[in-house]
């Protein structure tokens, strides 16, 4: 398990429990996110607070999960991005696809 | 391929862990240590070793059960595994071999012998891996699959060239294509299939053909708008169940040799760098489009540029801006821009020989690709 999940009234927070989010964890990460969506979660907050680096495989997994979420009328938002990760999201326009919040609490408030 | 020697030691006896750890560190191994199978799994979630050396007798989860757990997990099942045991029972050994454990080491074996056994084993794995890679590359070549062009386009008003270093010599991942339509128009394509893993490079060849075909179909229909071409490709990829799960960035540039202009649209690609020869200034060219296949409407735009003589345009993938720092890997576009700027403006042959690209090749953490375009006097 690389996601630590917490259930809220109508949302799930999923904290990524690793520092370097790369291809070695991308498949597991995607499988765990898909399981949340398939389990009925309609609003998933992916918390990247502990993550210092993401590679393109990991982003691919996140984006692929987002597509799955949209098909299932669910939403994935992200929070806790460090400066570099946020910079990367903006550079490749992932900020257009994901709502980005500073903290999980803020993401839950805006739900 | 760099010689990597990361080992995960699993033993409930702290003394054995400490002793083996010390002996292996002296031999250049990077050691991860776990006092139980549960702890080992936790460490594996952080990073993957090149080999696992595990005790057999452990409380709760013993070595065999641990091995079974690893075999059930796609990410861990192929990591070479050795048992360190005091057991000499043949029956147990047979059971272990059925679990694809590659070897046994008895605990009273002298440490020097243990180290050489591990070294020999890792060398065999590496040689096997390189042989397989060579075979696959040969197969790809004989099928005429290339992820980068074999020749450069000859154009009147522009010079185009590229630099490409696949990560650890795995082909694929990034792809480059030059499509000369006629003496007037040439398309330049740079893509990065996200997800560099063993299977990805087969896929990127397929994906490259897919994109190449899509671009050519658009052009055959008389479509010379990079924005509209990206929109069409995006829509096809988004709705095609075979490829919709794979994401790719794409930079598409159309050179007009007659008007001496260029048009650019990007899909989730990194901002290009533009070198203005007159002012000797470097600036970013940012497109608006999202990764191919991400959304039904990729929000693409089209940027028209009329370059001056000597102006240069650089298109590249994220492997170039990722660096390994003492505190871990980093993605830092601004630092890359600052570091590369002094090299822009020079002829590309010189840039290719520069220490900047040599350093990138030595320290790369992913595929690195760079396309160079320059407006020439001709």
């Amino acid at each position: 398990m690389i996601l630590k999940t917490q259930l809220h009234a109508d949302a799930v927070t999923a904290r990524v429990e690793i520092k370097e989010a790369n291809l070695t964890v991308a498949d597991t990460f995607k499988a765990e996110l898909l399981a949340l969506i398939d389990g009925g979660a309609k609003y998933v907050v992916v918390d990247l607070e502990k993550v210092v680096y993401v590679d393109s495989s990991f982003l691919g997994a996140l984006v692929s999960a987002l597509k799955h979420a949209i098909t299932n009328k669910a939403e994935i938002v992200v929070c806790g991005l460090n400066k570099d990760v946020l910079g990367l999201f903006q550079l490749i326009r992932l900020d257009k696809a994901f709502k980005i919040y500073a903290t999980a609490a803020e993401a839950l408030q805006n739900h | 391929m760099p010689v990597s020697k990361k080992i995960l030691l699993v033993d409930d006896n702290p003394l054995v862990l400490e002793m083996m750890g010390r002996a292996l560190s002296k031999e250049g191994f990077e050691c991860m240590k776990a006092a139980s199978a549960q702890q080992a799994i936790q460490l594996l979630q952080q990073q993957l070793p090149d080999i696992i050396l595990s005790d057999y007798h452990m409380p709760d989860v013993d070595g065999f059960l641990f091995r079974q757990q690893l075999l059930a997990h796609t990410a861990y099942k192929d990591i070479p595994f050795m048992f360190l045991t005091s057991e000499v029972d043949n029956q147990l050994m047979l059971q272990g071999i059925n679990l694809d454990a590659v070897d046994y080491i008895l605990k009273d074996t002298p440490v020097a012998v243990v180290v050489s056994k591990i070294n020999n084993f890792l060398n065999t794995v590496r040689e096997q891996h390189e042989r397989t890679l060579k075979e696959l590359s040969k197969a790809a070549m004989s099928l005429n699959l290339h992820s980068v062009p074999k020749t450069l386009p000859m154009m009147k008003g522009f010079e185009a060239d590229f630099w490409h270093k696949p990560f650890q010599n795995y082909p694929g991942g990034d792809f480059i294509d030059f499509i000369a339509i006629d003496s007037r128009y040439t398309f330049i394509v740079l893509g990065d299939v996200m997800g560099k893993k063993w299977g990805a490079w087969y896929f990127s060849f397929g994906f490259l053909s897919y994109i190449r075909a899509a671009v050519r179909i658009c052009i055959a229909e008389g479509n010379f708008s990079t924005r509209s071409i990206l929109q069409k490709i995006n829509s096809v990829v988004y709705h095609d169940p075979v490829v919709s799960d794979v994401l790719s960035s794409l930079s598409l540039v159309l050179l007009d040799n007659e008007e001496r202009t260029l048009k650019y649209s990007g899909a989730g690609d990194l901002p290009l760098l533009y070198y203005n020869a007159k002012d000797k200034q470097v600036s970013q060219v940012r497109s608006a489009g999202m990764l191919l296949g991400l959304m039904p409407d990729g929000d693409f735009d089209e940027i028209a540029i009329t370059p001056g003589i000597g102006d240069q345009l650089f298109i590249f993938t994220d492997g170039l801006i990722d660096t390994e720092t003492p505190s871990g890997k980093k993605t830092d576009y601004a630092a890359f821009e600052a570091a590369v700027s002094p090299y822009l403006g020079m002829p590309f042959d010189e840039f290719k020989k520069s220490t900047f690209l040599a350093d990138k090749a030595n320290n790369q953490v992913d595929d690195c690709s760079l396309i160079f375009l320059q407006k020439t006097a001709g």
Side-chain angles (χ1 to χ4, degrees):
Chain A
M1 295 289 280
I2 60 161
L3 288 180
K4 193 168 182 184
T5 55
Q6 202 181 344
L7 282 173
H8 304 267
D10 50 358
V12 181
T13 50
R15 197 171 62 202
V16 181
E17 294 285 304
I18 35 165
K19 269 177 71 180
E20 199 170 290
N22 58 27
L23 70 97
T24 60
V25 296
D27 282 347
T28 316
F29 169 68
K30 183 175 155 188
E32 289 179 23
L33 261 186
L34 293 194
L36 287 177
I37 304 288
D38 292 338
K42 290 291 172 207
Y43 188 76
V44 180
V45 181
V46 175
D47 189 343
L48 297 170
E49 198 194 338
K50 292 194 172 178
V51 175
V52 293
Y53 170 85
V54 293
D55 78 350
S56 66
S57 300
F58 189 85
L59 286 180
L62 178 63
V63 160
S64 172
L66 174 71
K67 288 186 74 174
H68 185 73
I70 293 169
T71 313
N72 287 279
K73 304 215 173 353
E75 193 177 359
I76 294 178
V77 302
V78 293
C79 71
L81 282 62
N82 76 12
K83 192 173 134 274
D84 290 337
V85 177
L86 177 63
L88 181 63
F89 267 65
Q90 290 164 341
L91 272 179
I92 62 171
R93 281 84 74 193
L94 278 181
D95 56 341
K96 289 186 182 180
F98 291 95
K99 282 192 188 136
I100 300 175
Y101 296 101
T103 61
E106 195 188 305
L108 290 171
Q109 265 171 23
N110 283 285
H111 172 38
Chain B
M1 186 185 211
V3 180
S4 154
K5 297 208 289 191
K6 203 180 286 172
I7 187 163
L8 169 61
L9 300 169
V10 191
D11 202 310
D12 60 309
N13 183 340
L15 213 65
V16 175
L17 266 191
E18 187 56 35
M19 190 195 71
M20 288 300 290
R22 231 181 260 178
L24 287 163
S25 298
K26 245 191 232 167
E27 294 296 323
F29 280 88
E30 189 186 321
C31 297
M32 301 154 63
K33 291 180 219 160
S36 66
Q38 293 92 322
Q39 228 181 63
I41 299 274
Q42 279 168 11
L43 285 178
L44 286 171
Q45 286 166 358
Q46 309 275 337
Q47 56 177 335
L48 296 181
D50 300 292
I51 186 164
I52 300 170
L53 183 60
S54 169
D55 185 21
Y56 168 64
H57 281 295
M58 292 188 288
D60 300 331
V61 179
D62 70 14
F64 279 176
L65 195 55
F66 173 48
R67 180 62 185 146
Q68 276 170 331
Q69 288 175 351
L70 295 181
L71 285 173
H73 199 292
T74 32
Y76 309 147
K77 73 179 168 60
D78 294 324
I79 303 171
F81 187 95
M82 289 172 122
F83 275 121
L84 186 65
T85 174
S86 46
E87 288 297 332
V88 283
D89 185 325
N90 285 341
Q91 196 56 40
L92 272 182
M93 291 213 173
L94 191 65
Q95 206 183 334
I97 285 164
N98 288 340
L99 285 171
D100 287 336
V102 285
D103 209 348
Y104 279 89
I105 300 180
L106 292 174
K107 272 191 175 165
D108 52 8
T109 310
V111 172
V113 178
V114 175
V115 170
S116 87
K117 244 184 154 171
I118 295 173
N119 270 330
N120 281 344
F121 179 67
L122 280 177
N123 282 337
T124 312
V125 171
R126 196 166 293 122
E127 279 166 25
Q128 183 70 34
H129 177 82
E130 277 165 12
R131 239 194 330 268
T132 314
L133 193 63
K134 220 189 250 169
E135 284 299 315
L136 286 171
S137 295
K138 232 184 340 191
M141 290 302 167
S142 64
L143 288 167
N144 205 20
L145 299 170
H146 298 275
S147 54
V148 296
K150 284 192 282 188
T151 53
L152 300 176
M154 298 299 292
M155 294 171 290
K156 269 189 298 180
F158 291 98
E159 180 194 340
D161 203 341
F162 69 93
W163 181 83
H164 172 75
K165 282 275 173 286
F167 181 53
Q168 293 186 346
N169 288 325
Y170 286 80
D174 285 0
F175 59 89
I176 297 173
D177 200 13
F178 297 135
I179 308 170
I181 305 303
D182 50 32
S183 60
R184 180 170 179 182
Y185 293 111
T186 304
F187 281 90
I188 312 284
V189 183
L190 175 62
D192 177 4
V193 180
M194 297 174 91
K196 174 87 178 180
K197 48 186 170 184
W198 184 235
W201 72 273
Y202 294 109
F203 194 83
S204 77
F205 283 121
F207 198 76
L208 165 63
S209 310
Y210 197 103
I211 299 299
R212 218 182 124 92
V215 172
R216 282 179 181 262
I217 289 167
C218 289
I219 295 161
E221 284 176 347
N223 189 341
F224 283 77
S225 152
T226 51
R227 173 171 179 255
S228 143
I229 292 173
L230 280 195
Q231 268 167 348
K232 282 194 176 158
I233 298 174
N234 181 68
S235 172
V236 172
V237 172
Y238 184 84
H239 291 105
D240 183 341
V242 177
V243 292
S244 67
D245 210 24
V246 175
L247 288 135
S248 166
S249 70
L250 198 74
S251 312
L252 184 64
V253 172
L254 172 61
L255 298 177
D256 183 337
N257 289 299
E258 227 161 74
E259 300 281 330
R260 305 289 161 87
T261 57
L262 54 89
K263 281 194 267 183
Y264 155 65
S265 297
D269 58 343
L270 292 173
L272 318 188
L273 286 178
Y274 187 85
Y275 174 80
N276 183 311
K278 207 170 126 213
D279 309 335
K280 297 191 167 43
Q281 290 291 319
V282 176
S283 57
Q284 293 180 11
V285 184
R286 284 173 180 256
S287 71
M290 288 190 267
L291 289 161
L292 282 184
L294 173 53
M295 293 283 163
D297 175 10
D299 199 18
F300 302 108
D301 59 355
E302 185 168 284
I303 297 161
I305 301 172
T306 307
I309 288 170
D311 286 3
Q312 300 176 341
L313 189 66
F314 295 83
I315 317 167
F316 42 91
T317 54
D318 58 0
L320 219 54
I321 67 167
D322 283 1
T323 48
E324 195 86 54
T325 69
S327 57
K329 282 181 188 167
K330 249 180 108 94
T331 304
D332 193 338
Y333 187 92
F336 168 76
E337 185 182 345
V340 77
S341 287
Y343 295 89
L344 306 187
M346 62 169 63
F348 195 59
D349 277 339
E350 261 177 57
F351 182 36
K352 272 201 280 195
K353 288 181 206 146
S354 69
T355 49
F356 182 83
L357 288 183
D359 283 351
K360 281 286 165 203
N362 288 332
N363 302 312
Q364 68 184 142
V365 292
D366 196 357
D367 275 12
C368 289
S369 303
L370 171 85
I371 293 180
F372 164 89
L373 298 173
Q374 183 168 32
K375 167 96 182 279
T376 54

